[in-house]
Short mmCIF file of all heavy atoms in Angstrom, two decimals:
data_model
loop_
_atom_site.label_atom_id
_atom_site.label_comp_id
_atom_site.label_asym_id
_atom_site.label_seq_id
_atom_site.Cartn_x
_atom_site.Cartn_y
_atom_site.Cartn_z
N LYS A 1102 12.04 2.20 6.97
CA LYS A 1102 12.43 2.84 5.61
C LYS A 1102 11.60 2.01 4.48
O LYS A 1102 11.05 2.66 3.61
CB LYS A 1102 13.84 2.64 5.32
CG LYS A 1102 14.32 3.14 3.96
CD LYS A 1102 15.85 3.11 3.73
CE LYS A 1102 16.33 3.78 2.53
NZ LYS A 1102 17.81 3.74 2.31
N THR A 1103 11.57 0.73 4.61
CA THR A 1103 10.73 -0.13 3.72
C THR A 1103 9.59 -0.95 4.48
O THR A 1103 9.94 -1.96 4.90
CB THR A 1103 11.52 -1.08 3.05
OG1 THR A 1103 12.38 -1.85 3.94
CG2 THR A 1103 12.45 -0.30 1.98
N PRO A 1104 8.44 -0.37 4.85
CA PRO A 1104 7.52 -0.96 5.72
C PRO A 1104 6.86 -2.16 4.88
O PRO A 1104 6.68 -2.21 3.65
CB PRO A 1104 6.58 0.12 5.83
CG PRO A 1104 6.65 1.12 4.81
CD PRO A 1104 8.10 1.07 4.39
N MET A 1105 6.39 -3.07 5.75
CA MET A 1105 5.63 -4.30 5.06
C MET A 1105 4.42 -3.88 4.34
O MET A 1105 3.67 -2.82 4.66
CB MET A 1105 5.29 -5.16 6.15
CG MET A 1105 6.54 -5.74 7.01
SD MET A 1105 7.46 -6.90 6.03
CE MET A 1105 6.34 -8.31 6.04
N PRO A 1106 3.99 -4.47 3.26
CA PRO A 1106 2.71 -4.26 2.57
C PRO A 1106 1.58 -4.20 3.50
O PRO A 1106 0.63 -3.39 3.24
CB PRO A 1106 2.61 -5.32 1.57
CG PRO A 1106 3.97 -5.93 1.41
CD PRO A 1106 4.68 -5.70 2.59
N THR A 1107 1.50 -4.93 4.49
CA THR A 1107 0.28 -5.05 5.47
C THR A 1107 0.17 -3.64 6.21
O THR A 1107 -0.82 -3.13 6.51
CB THR A 1107 0.51 -6.05 6.50
OG1 THR A 1107 1.70 -5.96 7.16
CG2 THR A 1107 0.23 -7.54 5.79
N VAL A 1108 1.35 -3.15 6.49
CA VAL A 1108 1.41 -1.83 7.12
C VAL A 1108 0.88 -0.63 6.17
O VAL A 1108 0.03 0.14 6.55
CB VAL A 1108 2.90 -1.29 7.59
CG1 VAL A 1108 2.91 0.09 8.04
CG2 VAL A 1108 3.35 -2.27 8.67
N MET A 1109 1.28 -0.70 4.94
CA MET A 1109 0.84 0.22 3.99
C MET A 1109 -0.83 0.18 3.76
O MET A 1109 -1.41 1.09 3.71
CB MET A 1109 1.38 -0.13 2.62
CG MET A 1109 3.04 0.05 2.66
SD MET A 1109 3.54 1.66 2.73
CE MET A 1109 3.28 2.40 1.08
N ASN A 1110 -1.26 -1.18 3.72
CA ASN A 1110 -2.60 -1.39 3.57
C ASN A 1110 -3.40 -0.78 4.63
O ASN A 1110 -4.46 -0.22 4.46
CB ASN A 1110 -2.95 -2.83 3.29
CG ASN A 1110 -2.48 -3.33 2.02
OD1 ASN A 1110 -2.11 -2.60 1.05
ND2 ASN A 1110 -2.12 -4.65 1.94
N ALA A 1111 -2.92 -1.04 5.82
CA ALA A 1111 -3.59 -0.59 7.13
C ALA A 1111 -3.67 1.03 7.17
O ALA A 1111 -4.63 1.53 7.94
CB ALA A 1111 -2.95 -0.99 8.36
N LEU A 1112 -2.79 1.70 6.46
CA LEU A 1112 -2.71 3.08 6.58
C LEU A 1112 -3.52 3.85 5.50
O LEU A 1112 -3.53 5.04 5.33
CB LEU A 1112 -1.27 3.64 6.49
CG LEU A 1112 -0.53 3.20 7.78
CD1 LEU A 1112 0.92 3.71 7.65
CD2 LEU A 1112 -0.99 3.73 9.15
N GLN A 1113 -4.11 3.13 4.59
CA GLN A 1113 -4.78 3.65 3.44
C GLN A 1113 -5.86 4.69 3.85
O GLN A 1113 -6.19 5.69 3.22
CB GLN A 1113 -5.39 2.58 2.51
CG GLN A 1113 -4.32 1.76 1.73
CD GLN A 1113 -3.52 2.63 0.84
OE1 GLN A 1113 -4.15 3.49 0.07
NE2 GLN A 1113 -2.21 2.55 0.92
N ILE A 1114 -6.57 4.37 4.95
CA ILE A 1114 -7.66 5.24 5.43
C ILE A 1114 -7.16 6.51 5.93
O ILE A 1114 -7.96 7.50 5.98
CB ILE A 1114 -8.38 4.49 6.57
CG1 ILE A 1114 -7.41 4.30 7.73
CG2 ILE A 1114 -9.26 3.25 6.07
CD1 ILE A 1114 -8.11 3.64 8.83
N GLY A 1115 -5.82 6.58 6.17
CA GLY A 1115 -5.29 7.89 6.63
C GLY A 1115 -4.41 8.69 5.64
O GLY A 1115 -3.64 9.54 5.93
N THR A 1116 -4.38 8.11 4.32
CA THR A 1116 -3.54 8.83 3.39
C THR A 1116 -4.03 10.25 3.15
O THR A 1116 -5.30 10.29 2.78
CB THR A 1116 -3.43 7.98 2.07
OG1 THR A 1116 -3.08 6.63 2.41
CG2 THR A 1116 -2.56 8.67 1.19
N ASP A 1117 -3.18 11.24 2.93
CA ASP A 1117 -3.62 12.64 2.63
C ASP A 1117 -3.23 12.86 1.11
O ASP A 1117 -2.62 11.91 0.41
CB ASP A 1117 -3.02 13.60 3.55
CG ASP A 1117 -1.48 13.83 3.28
OD1 ASP A 1117 -0.92 13.25 2.41
OD2 ASP A 1117 -1.01 14.69 4.14
N SER A 1118 -3.67 13.97 0.64
CA SER A 1118 -3.47 14.27 -0.78
C SER A 1118 -2.11 14.47 -1.17
O SER A 1118 -1.73 14.57 -2.42
CB SER A 1118 -4.36 15.43 -1.21
OG SER A 1118 -3.79 16.56 -0.45
N GLU A 1119 -1.15 14.49 -0.22
CA GLU A 1119 0.22 15.02 -0.61
C GLU A 1119 1.09 13.80 -0.26
O GLU A 1119 2.43 13.96 -0.19
CB GLU A 1119 0.70 16.15 0.18
CG GLU A 1119 -0.15 17.47 -0.19
CD GLU A 1119 0.16 18.70 0.63
OE1 GLU A 1119 0.95 18.53 1.56
OE2 GLU A 1119 -0.32 19.70 0.35
N GLY A 1120 0.57 12.57 -0.02
CA GLY A 1120 1.47 11.39 0.06
C GLY A 1120 1.86 11.15 1.56
O GLY A 1120 2.60 10.30 1.75
N GLY A 1121 1.33 11.94 2.45
CA GLY A 1121 1.65 11.76 3.94
C GLY A 1121 0.59 10.95 4.60
O GLY A 1121 -0.43 10.40 3.87
N TYR A 1122 0.63 10.84 5.82
CA TYR A 1122 -0.42 10.01 6.60
C TYR A 1122 -1.01 10.88 7.74
O TYR A 1122 -0.14 11.57 8.40
CB TYR A 1122 0.17 8.77 7.13
CG TYR A 1122 0.49 7.77 6.04
CD1 TYR A 1122 1.82 7.61 5.55
CD2 TYR A 1122 -0.37 6.95 5.48
CE1 TYR A 1122 2.14 6.92 4.54
CE2 TYR A 1122 -0.08 6.15 4.33
CZ TYR A 1122 1.24 6.05 3.96
OH TYR A 1122 1.59 5.22 2.81
N LEU A 1123 -2.22 10.86 7.82
CA LEU A 1123 -2.76 11.53 9.04
C LEU A 1123 -2.51 10.81 10.35
O LEU A 1123 -2.45 9.58 10.37
CB LEU A 1123 -4.51 11.68 8.93
CG LEU A 1123 -4.77 12.33 7.61
CD1 LEU A 1123 -6.39 12.30 7.46
CD2 LEU A 1123 -4.44 13.71 7.47
N VAL A 1124 -2.21 11.57 11.32
CA VAL A 1124 -1.79 11.06 12.57
C VAL A 1124 -3.03 10.29 13.29
O VAL A 1124 -4.15 10.76 13.14
CB VAL A 1124 -1.12 12.03 13.56
CG1 VAL A 1124 0.08 12.77 12.93
CG2 VAL A 1124 -2.17 13.05 13.92
N PRO A 1125 -2.77 9.28 14.18
CA PRO A 1125 -3.76 8.58 14.79
C PRO A 1125 -4.55 9.70 15.71
O PRO A 1125 -3.95 10.64 16.19
CB PRO A 1125 -3.12 7.51 15.65
CG PRO A 1125 -1.72 7.35 14.99
CD PRO A 1125 -1.47 8.59 14.35
#
């Protein structure tokens, strides 16, 4: 529910335009 900031940073490359994340 509240991921660590390091997790958020690692997923920046997969952020889509609607606030979701592209799957691996």
Side-chain angles (χ1 to χ4, degrees):
K1102 184 175 182 179
T1103 54
M1105 299 288 289
T1107 53
V1108 172
M1109 302 287 288
N1110 291 336
L1112 293 178
Q1113 288 302 311
I1114 55 174
T1116 305
D1117 71 5
S1118 60
E1119 299 174 356
Y1122 295 96
L1123 302 179
V1124 302

